[in-house]
Amino acid sequence: MVKDKKEEIPKKKKGLAAFLKKRAPFYLAAIALIIISAQGILSEKNLESSLPEFSAEEQNVVDILMKYDGGNGGYTMMNAITNQIEEEYSDEKVFDHRKTVVEMSVSSINSDEHSVDLNFKSHKGEMNFNWNVNSVTKKITSDNPESKHLIDVVDFYD
């Protein structure tokens, strides 16, 4: 019995599995590069992501302050603070700088009144904002000229 030469030669693997098996390391490397580059874009820092964690009561006070829109709707205190910082540091991404620190503290004046202090420190300088927030009436007053300016910007925004 003579075997045919065709039977002795192993058949080549065909199909998608063989194709992927050969090229799997290249595809995994490409996927890893895409994920790494997308992570930088998706995790871009801003003021909101830089704020510290608060207790439930303190977070309520911070929310009242940051969502304050002066009755005009749309332009909030968070927008005003962010714009103020961006104007000061217009030529760079200041939140991505390693020396940038955002400190925010909430202290109780009485059962309804709270003092909110926001200190923004960067490699070029410092900005300090102080507000008094009434958690019942949701009225916000300022303790310094920079904070008063931001309240005015929000109140008179068109």
Side-chain angles (χ1 to χ4, degrees):
M1 293 193 186
V2 179
K3 292 184 179 179
D4 292 336
K5 280 191 171 182
K6 292 180 183 177
E7 291 180 27
E8 290 179 13
I9 301 173
K11 294 183 179 179
K12 286 187 175 182
K13 293 182 182 178
K14 294 183 180 178
L16 182 63
F19 178 79
L20 289 177
K21 189 173 183 180
K22 280 184 175 179
R23 292 159 183 86
F26 299 113
Y27 291 124
L28 289 174
I31 291 170
L33 287 174
I34 291 170
I35 290 172
I36 290 169
S37 63
Q39 180 188 12
I41 295 169
L42 296 175
S43 65
E44 189 172 312
K45 292 184 178 179
N46 58 22
L47 178 63
E48 191 171 1
S49 66
S50 300
L51 295 178
E53 298 278 329
F54 294 105
S55 68
E57 182 183 351
E58 291 172 337
Q59 186 63 47
N60 183 38
V61 173
V62 171
D63 288 342
I64 291 170
L65 173 68
M66 293 301 177
K67 293 177 182 177
Y68 175 73
D69 64 359
N72 299 325
Y75 194 73
T76 63
M77 185 64 75
M78 177 69 84
N79 299 125
I81 297 167
T82 302
N83 289 342
Q84 180 76 24
I85 293 169
E86 287 175 356
E87 285 176 12
E88 186 74 27
Y89 302 95
S90 60
D91 58 338
E92 60 187 290
K93 292 183 178 183
V94 70
F95 290 105
D96 291 334
H97 197 278
R98 61 184 170 83
K99 290 189 177 181
T100 299
V101 177
V102 178
E103 297 172 343
M104 187 174 220
S105 63
V106 178
S107 56
S108 181
I109 297 171
N110 59 42
S111 62
D112 297 338
E113 291 262 343
H114 300 275
S115 176
V116 179
D117 298 324
L118 175 68
N119 297 320
F120 179 83
K121 299 174 186 174
S122 75
H123 63 287
K124 288 186 177 178
E126 190 172 328
M127 298 170 130
N128 298 310
F129 304 101
N130 306 85
W131 297 278
N132 288 332
V133 178
N134 188 316
S135 59
V136 175
T137 63
K138 298 186 179 184
K139 182 177 179 175
I140 298 172
T141 56
S142 64
D143 288 340
N144 64 8
E146 294 85 9
S147 305
K148 175 66 174 148
H149 173 70
L150 290 179
I151 291 173
D152 291 342
V153 166
V154 171
D155 283 342
F156 299 112
Y157 184 77
D158 283 333

